[in-house]
Each structure stands twice: as C-alpha cells, then as structure tokens.
C-alpha cells in the first residue's frame, strides 16, 4: 500500500450539532478516522484533508465559523494536502485532486470522513470512475437520518448500508473495516 493515500473528508466540528443535522450513526467513527490518520502518518503515507466550505448562510460549515474547523481528532495532523470544496465530491474543489494524485503516482486511496452517503460516497464513486483503486472505510464514516421526497425517513444506519451496497455492487470501491485496512498496512 505504499502508493495509497488517505483522504479524510469533511471531518469538521459543524457536524457535531444534532439540532441542525438530526440523529447520526456510528459513534465510533471518529476513533476509526484517528486510527487511520495515525497509521498513515506513522508510515509517512500521503494524507489529504478536505473541508466543506458551505456557501449557505445558515450552515455550520461556512468558512470563518467555528463549525468549519476540523474536529479534534485531526489535531496534530501533518497532511500533504489540505483544501476546501463547496460540493459533494473532493474531486471538484479548490484543488484538482485527480491531477495532484496522478502527479505523485498515487493510484489508490482510502476514503473516510463525513457524511457517508454524500461527500464520502460521491468521492469514492468519482475515484472509481477515474480508475483509482478505492477502499471505503465504512466504519470510519458517519451520516444522519434523512427524509425522502415522500416524507419517509431512512435512518443513518440504513443509508450507510445503502452506500456500502452501492459502492460494492457498482464496483466503485472495496468496502472494508478500519481493522482490515490497518491489518493490510502491516
């Protein structure tokens, strides 16, 4: 895995407000994100941190607001690249991520972060479409319950299972646990 980057997406304090986002899943996600970050840094593998810079006035993820800051689990991070985006995919941001990865000969990456079914899944899908070998650390992501167009609500756990199914079934990414990803690094 010497050419495998870790891409941590939107690990921001603004996602800590349940009044804004609603119920979430996977309370152990941040510990898994931190475990991946520590392993990548220990091995001096490439680390990319992406933050969502929402243009919406009421969003806790707006630049200049405390919610735009990275969560404490990323304290001490020594990323090779940090940049912002205003859409779901990390491939459409302030930096051309595809060009950055290719320039360094990076052909594979691990995705972790927030939210499972939006920015993380979209980045994994685009990465798969661009020909990268993508690993999706499902237990190092989390999301929130979401209402559909008919008013029915899918729970965060249901959405996570759907993401895993979409990525696996569509051939976009290999879905693995943090434990299995870390074991492959050894």
């Amino acid at each position: 895995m010497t050419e495998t980057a870790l891409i941590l997406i939107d690990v921001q304090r603004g996602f800590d407000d349940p009044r804004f986002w609603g119920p979430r899943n996977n309370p152990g996600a941040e510990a898994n994100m931190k475990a991946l970050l520590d392993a990548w840094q220990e091995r001096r593998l490439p680390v990319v941190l992406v933050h969502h810079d929402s243009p919406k006035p009421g969003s806790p993820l707006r630049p200049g607001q405390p919610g735009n800051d990275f969560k404490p689990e990323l304290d001490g991070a020594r990323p090779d690249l940090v940049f912002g985006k205003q859409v779901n995919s990390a491939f459409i941001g302030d930096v051309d991520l595809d060009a950055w990865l290719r320039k360094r000969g990076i052909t594979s990456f691990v995705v972790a972060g927030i939210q499972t079914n939006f920015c993380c899944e979209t980045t994994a899908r685009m990465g798969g479409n661009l020909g990268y070998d993508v690993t999706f650390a499902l237990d190092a992501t989390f999301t929130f319950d979401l209402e559909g167009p008919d008013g029915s609500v899918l729970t965060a756990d249901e959405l996570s299972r759907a993401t895993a199914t979409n990525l696996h079934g569509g051939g976009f990414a290999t879905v693995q646990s943090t434990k299995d990803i870390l074991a492959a690094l050894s």
Side-chain angles (χ1 to χ4, degrees), residues 87-136:
V87 296
N88 297 114
S89 178
F91 284 98
I92 304 172
D94 297 340
V95 167
D96 183 341
L97 180 59
D98 183 42
W100 188 88
L101 292 167
R102 291 189 192 282
K103 180 179 179 182
R104 284 152 185 80
I106 298 169
T107 59
S108 61
F109 61 86
V110 172
V111 174
I114 311 167
Q115 296 183 61
T116 309
N117 54 315
F118 290 135
C119 298
C120 295
E121 181 177 347
T122 304
T123 299
R125 283 176 177 244
M126 282 193 74
N129 285 163
L130 290 167
Y132 291 94
D133 179 10
V134 180
T135 300
F136 195 87

Side-chain angles (χ1 to χ4, degrees), residues 1 3-9 32-33 35-37 39-40 45-50 90-91 97 101 106-113 120 123-124 127 132-141 167 173-182 184-185:
M1 295 185 85
E3 294 184 16
T4 300
L6 173 64
I7 302 177
L8 288 166
I9 300 174
N32 289 328
M33 293 174 205
L36 290 168
L37 175 63
W40 253 254
L45 293 170
V47 174
V48 176
L49 302 182
V50 184
F91 284 98
L97 180 59
L101 292 167
I106 298 169
T107 59
S108 61
F109 61 86
V110 172
V111 174
C120 295
T123 299
Y132 291 94
D133 179 10
V134 180
T135 300
F136 195 87
L138 186 64
D139 65 353
T141 71
L167 294 175
T174 301
V175 179
Q176 290 189 312
S177 69
T178 298
K179 179 181 175 183
D180 289 343
I181 293 166
L182 294 175
L185 280 177

Side-chain angles (χ1 to χ4, degrees), residues 43-91:
R43 290 162 180 81
R44 298 177 190 229
L45 293 170
V47 174
V48 176
L49 302 182
V50 184
H51 53 89
H52 192 87
D53 293 332
S54 178
K56 296 178 183 175
S59 173
L61 302 175
R62 287 185 336 274
Q65 302 300 311
N68 189 264
D69 295 341
F70 289 122
K71 289 167 130 321
E73 288 78 11
L74 300 189
D75 288 353
R78 299 177 310 278
D80 298 274
L81 177 64
V82 179
F83 67 94
K85 62 178 182 54
Q86 293 186 351
V87 296
N88 297 114
S89 178
F91 284 98

